[in-house]
Amino acid sequence: MKIFLPRFSLTTKVFLICSSLALIVTVSGSIVLYREACYSLRQEVRSKLMGIAATAALQIDPELHKKIKTNKDASTPDYKKMRDTLIAIRNSNPDIKYVYTMRKTNKKNALQFIVDIPDANDSKYDTHVGEEYNITGCTEMVKGFDGPAADKEPVSDKWGRLLSGYAPIRDKNGKVDGILAIDMALPQLKVEERALWIAAVKTILVALLLSVLLSWIITRGTLRKVRIFTKAAQRIKNGDLDFRLQVKSSDEVGQFTEAFNHMMTGLQQTVKDFLTGLFNHRYFQERLTTELVRAERYNHNLCLLIFDLDRFKSINDTLGHPAGDSILKQLSEVVKDSIRSIDVAARYGGDEFAIILPETDLESGRDVAERLRRAVEETEFHVPAGESVSDAGHKTINATITIGLAVFPDHHRTREGLIMAADIALCRAKHVSRNSTCAYDPEVCGNDQVDPHDLYQMLSDPDSATIQSLSAAVDARDKYTCGHSERVTNYAVKIGEAIGVEENVIAGLRVAGQLHDIGKIGVPDAVLSKPGSLTNEEREVVQSHPSIGEKILRRAPHIDLIIPAVLFHHERWDGAGYPDGLSGESIPIMARIIAIADAFDAMTTDRPYRKALSVQHALLELRANAGKQFDPALVELFINAISSDAQIDAA
């Protein structure tokens, strides 16, 4: 069976412990004091009884006492005289209930009554001369024959519960004939003991209040600095690594503060970007993982922004890298001022930045992105004196950013998938309109075929299997291009082998052929599969796919050899191509090869706007456009290679 144990805060625990300890000490002390007081009260009563008994015993005539031996003597004048003496003793003290004398017998544990004076309120008087009384256990009564004594505790018998005092009756020779005993009724003792108990309870209650108050004061004083450390830890947890403790103390707390601040300085150096002061790439990856776990656990949204500075390369080229660094620093300050304390801003790399927005849905994420974009647009960035390369008088410049955003769990549930989704959105935004915000759109990007997580994994660790899988997913977005990337790869390799390029270039062509159309994940399906002519706007969207592909592939520096082939495979030999209008041999050789292979496969397969051409017709089209669209030398080599294959197949 499980026992429920409530979870208390440290403050509550310390308070309860201090209060409990104070209460235990107080109650224990009060009980001890009460018992001591009761003992002292009874000792006082015993002393009083012994004093009364000793004084009363001196008033007894021992000679008369010796004459009274049996019940018959109760009618003698001697007995009457003794009785009057005892009555006088009883009446002299209102606390005395009974006064009597006793004498030893031949029996070991028995005494006999001699003169017995009852309580004044007794209506019936019965003499007890000669009656025996069992004294087993009555040690104080026995001691009364040697000197004054009194019971330590009340004794119960047939006359009630009484506390008694004793003193010997001695003759002139000092011989003891018996003892005089006085019985005190307990009500008065009980009243005094009750008064002591009430006093003890009051003491406990007052002590309880004082202990609670004192415990609260101690708790607050003790844990005040602990709360400071707790808040510091919480701020660090939220990413505020600039926080430092300000506790001034020369004791262990001061030493802890110094060590804490030193640790924070060291930690900051490991997770902060040295230039901008924002978090670095590694910390961003770790924090995004943590925030995604938290969002998953509590069923919250999370928005990720990835943005970069538009045309930052031209800023570096025009003003110099020191000026570029200064602008990045200023941009980081704008970012810090535009987000919440719980948001996490990081330098993702170069001029790229990322922001994690916990508990933020798509619409709220758009609002944050737009606010940041406008803030950057409205900021005048200062160029430090002496750092401008071409314009020493240039004091300020205007800059803009383009932002891509993705939301957990709508766009993806994994860290890698969310990053890739935001990155794809950024690439699309760059080619739709700079200085803009774009959210990832699964329908536009064909998320049912091209999963951002798989794309991220391929870029992180490309191998032939993942590349082929990814190219197949891209091709699957268009039913007319099924197997297109694989065929382009084969054609490109034929050309490469025909011109005798090095093996690493052949390997590059295999990858470039598979990935040359990866940028089409940024082109809507409706445009890709449109059966009729494209509008100017749609044509611009299609023509953006090489640049989108280049921006996606730059995440994988280990395949940077193929990036020019992906970016420039739609350039023309005559300079009328896109995206940069390169011409002739300024177009990278791999891009020229992919361009021929891509065009040939496009002509020899069905498309939405026309039927496939025959191989011979397609080769004639290539030759007709040699020197215009294609490298003429490569066209001839490709025609020869294809023709040779056709002859072999025919044979």
Side-chain angles (χ1 to χ4, degrees):
M1 185 180 74
K2 293 184 177 180
I3 300 176
F4 175 72
L5 294 176
R7 294 182 178 179
F8 295 119
S9 64
L10 180 60
T11 301
T12 303
K13 290 177 182 177
V14 173
F15 172 72
L16 291 175
I17 290 173
C18 291
S19 299
S20 299
L21 290 176
L23 181 61
I24 291 172
V25 171
T26 301
V27 172
S28 301
S30 298
I31 292 174
V32 171
L33 291 175
Y34 168 72
R35 294 182 64 179
E36 289 295 324
C38 288
Y39 177 77
S40 297
L41 175 63
R42 292 189 180 185
Q43 286 297 103
E44 182 180 346
V45 172
R46 289 181 73 238
S47 298
K48 180 179 179 181
L49 285 173
M50 288 188 289
I52 294 174
T55 302
L58 295 176
Q59 300 177 38
I60 301 298
D61 186 345
E63 299 303 324
L64 291 178
H65 192 263
K66 290 179 181 180
K67 294 178 181 180
I68 303 170
K69 296 180 179 180
T70 66
N71 196 34
K72 295 179 181 180
D73 297 328
S75 57
T76 64
D78 293 333
Y79 182 85
K80 183 177 181 302
K81 189 173 181 179
M82 286 290 300
R83 181 172 175 274
D84 291 340
T85 301
L86 294 185
I87 291 174
I89 293 172
R90 185 198 64 190
N91 293 339
S92 66
N93 195 314
D95 293 333
I96 297 176
K97 187 174 180 66
Y98 298 107
V99 180
Y100 51 93
T101 63
M102 304 183 81
R103 182 181 295 133
K104 290 182 178 182
T105 67
N106 295 328
K107 297 179 180 181
K108 181 178 179 181
N109 292 320
L111 297 181
Q112 63 177 189
F113 285 100
I114 304 301
V115 182
D116 184 14
I117 302 300
D119 182 7
N121 297 321
D122 282 355
S123 58
K124 181 180 178 181
Y125 171 63
D126 185 17
T127 59
H128 305 93
V129 179
E131 181 180 335
E132 291 186 354
Y133 181 77
N134 190 332
I135 61 170
T136 301
C138 300
T139 56
E140 298 301 324
M141 183 178 288
V142 175
K143 291 179 180 179
F145 286 92
D146 298 323
D151 294 334
K152 293 181 179 179
E153 297 292 338
V155 176
S156 297
D157 55 21
K158 65 180 180 179
W159 291 285
R161 186 170 175 79
L162 304 167
L163 194 66
S164 304
Y166 315 97
I169 301 173
R170 301 178 187 274
D171 58 18
K172 60 182 179 180
N173 296 319
K175 185 179 179 180
V176 177
D177 182 58
I179 58 171
L180 180 136
I182 58 174
D183 293 341
M184 174 182 283
L186 294 181
Q188 182 61 32
L189 179 61
K190 290 181 178 180
V191 169
E192 294 186 17
E193 287 183 344
R194 181 177 178 79
L196 288 176
W197 172 246
I198 292 174
V201 171
K202 289 181 178 179
T203 301
I204 291 174
L205 292 176
V206 172
L208 176 61
L209 293 176
L210 290 177
S211 66
V212 170
L213 179 60
L214 183 61
S215 297
W216 179 247
I217 294 173
I218 293 174
T219 300
R220 288 182 60 86
T222 303
L223 297 183
R224 181 175 61 84
K225 294 178 180 178
V226 175
R227 285 194 295 273
I228 294 175
F229 298 146
T230 303
K231 291 180 180 178
Q234 189 63 42
R235 293 184 66 168
I236 295 168
K237 179 181 177 182
N238 292 333
D240 184 7
L241 300 185
D242 293 322
F243 177 75
R244 297 293 183 273
L245 287 172
Q246 303 298 324
V247 179
K248 294 182 179 179
S249 178
S250 58
D251 56 9
E252 290 82 357
V253 174
Q255 295 174 6
F256 177 84
T257 300
E258 183 179 354
F260 176 88
N261 291 338
H262 181 73
M263 178 190 69
M264 288 307 304
T265 300
L267 179 61
Q268 188 178 46
Q269 292 173 351
T270 64
V271 301
K272 288 294 187 75
D273 174 62
F274 74 95
L275 177 63
T276 63
L278 301 177
F279 291 111
N280 57 27
H281 182 90
R282 186 186 70 176
Y283 180 81
F284 161 76
Q285 296 282 358
E286 294 174 351
R287 185 64 179 273
L288 181 57
T289 300
T290 301
E291 293 298 337
L292 284 174
V293 170
R294 183 180 293 112
E296 180 82 42
R297 179 184 303 162
Y298 297 107
N299 196 27
H300 290 164
N301 291 115
L302 179 144
C303 184
L304 174 64
L305 308 183
I306 295 181
F307 62 94
D308 65 10
L309 202 59
D310 296 329
R311 297 184 175 87
F312 183 65
K313 183 177 183 300
S314 65
I315 293 176
N316 273 336
D317 293 343
T318 304
L319 302 178
H321 289 282
D325 289 346
S326 176
I327 291 171
L328 290 179
K329 290 180 184 178
Q330 295 173 64
L331 175 61
S332 68
E333 295 302 320
V334 177
V335 171
K336 292 176 185 177
D337 293 338
S338 302
I339 61 177
R340 303 167 298 179
S341 60
I342 65 171
D343 300 332
V344 181
R347 187 183 182 191
Y348 196 66
D351 65 323
E352 279 195 320
F353 298 82
I355 302 176
I356 303 170
L357 305 174
E359 301 181 27
T360 304
D361 59 17
L362 181 59
E363 290 306 312
S364 299
R366 287 183 191 273
D367 293 340
V368 175
E370 275 299 300
R371 183 170 65 247
L372 174 60
R373 186 193 63 77
R374 288 194 300 269
V376 174
E377 185 180 32
E378 296 167 0
T379 299
E380 291 188 343
F381 292 88
H382 296 273
V383 179
E387 293 188 358
S388 174
V389 173
S390 62
D391 187 359
H394 205 112
K395 299 297 184 182
T396 62
I397 67 167
N398 294 108
T400 59
I401 59 173
T402 302
I403 306 173
L405 63 99
V407 174
F408 169 90
D410 301 345
H411 297 151
H412 218 280
R413 304 187 73 90
T414 68
R415 182 193 69 181
E416 296 83 358
L418 198 65
I419 292 173
M420 200 70 243
D423 215 3
I424 292 172
L426 173 60
C427 292
R428 290 190 62 244
K430 280 288 188 181
H431 294 280
V432 173
S433 174
R434 287 185 173 89
N435 189 24
S436 63
T437 298
C438 179
Y440 178 73
D441 189 341
E443 295 183 0
V444 170
C445 299
N447 192 37
D448 53 339
Q449 284 93 21
V450 183
D451 187 286
H453 179 271
D454 296 339
L455 178 56
Y456 186 97
Q457 292 297 103
M458 190 282 295
L459 296 177
S460 300
D461 185 21
D463 58 36
S464 59
T466 58
I467 291 174
Q468 288 175 358
S469 175
L470 182 60
S471 66
V474 174
D475 289 348
R477 296 191 60 215
D478 185 352
K479 65 180 180 179
Y480 293 97
T481 60
C482 182
H484 170 69
S485 296
E486 188 67 34
R487 293 191 297 272
V488 168
T489 300
N490 293 333
Y491 298 146
V493 170
K494 286 182 182 295
I495 298 173
E497 290 174 343
I499 62 176
V501 296
E502 296 177 354
E503 186 58 36
N504 67 320
V505 178
I506 295 294
L509 287 171
R510 295 184 190 279
V511 177
Q514 298 282 358
L515 300 179
H516 73 284
D517 275 343
I518 192 173
K520 286 186 177 179
I521 65 176
V523 180
D525 288 340
V527 176
L528 284 176
S529 303
K530 186 175 181 180
S533 299
L534 299 179
T535 65
N536 291 335
E537 292 78 9
E538 291 169 339
R539 186 173 292 104
E540 288 181 2
V541 171
V542 172
Q543 291 179 353
S544 70
H545 81 271
S547 297
I548 294 176
E550 178 267 335
K551 291 189 177 300
I552 291 173
L553 293 178
R554 69 180 178 176
R555 300 296 186 202
H558 31 286
I559 57 174
D560 57 0
L561 176 66
I562 73 162
I563 291 178
V566 174
L567 177 60
F568 299 123
H569 73 278
H570 280 290
E571 297 288 1
R572 291 171 56 100
W573 186 260
D574 60 9
Y578 60 89
D580 291 353
L582 302 181
S583 63
E585 294 188 358
S586 63
I587 304 171
I589 182 65
M590 290 176 62
R592 284 180 271 158
I593 293 173
I594 295 295
I596 295 171
D598 184 34
F600 179 75
D601 186 69
M603 288 187 288
T604 55
T605 55
D606 290 335
R607 291 301 167 105
Y609 47 88
R610 58 152 178 81
K611 289 291 185 179
L613 302 179
S614 67
V615 172
Q616 292 302 321
H617 192 175
L619 292 177
L620 290 175
E621 284 293 322
L622 286 178
R623 181 169 283 153
N625 285 281
K628 298 176 183 178
Q629 184 175 352
F630 309 111
D631 182 336
L634 295 180
V635 168
E636 289 303 320
L637 289 171
F638 179 69
I639 291 174
N640 292 335
I642 293 296
S643 298
S644 298
D645 288 345
Q647 292 174 3
I648 293 172
D649 292 338

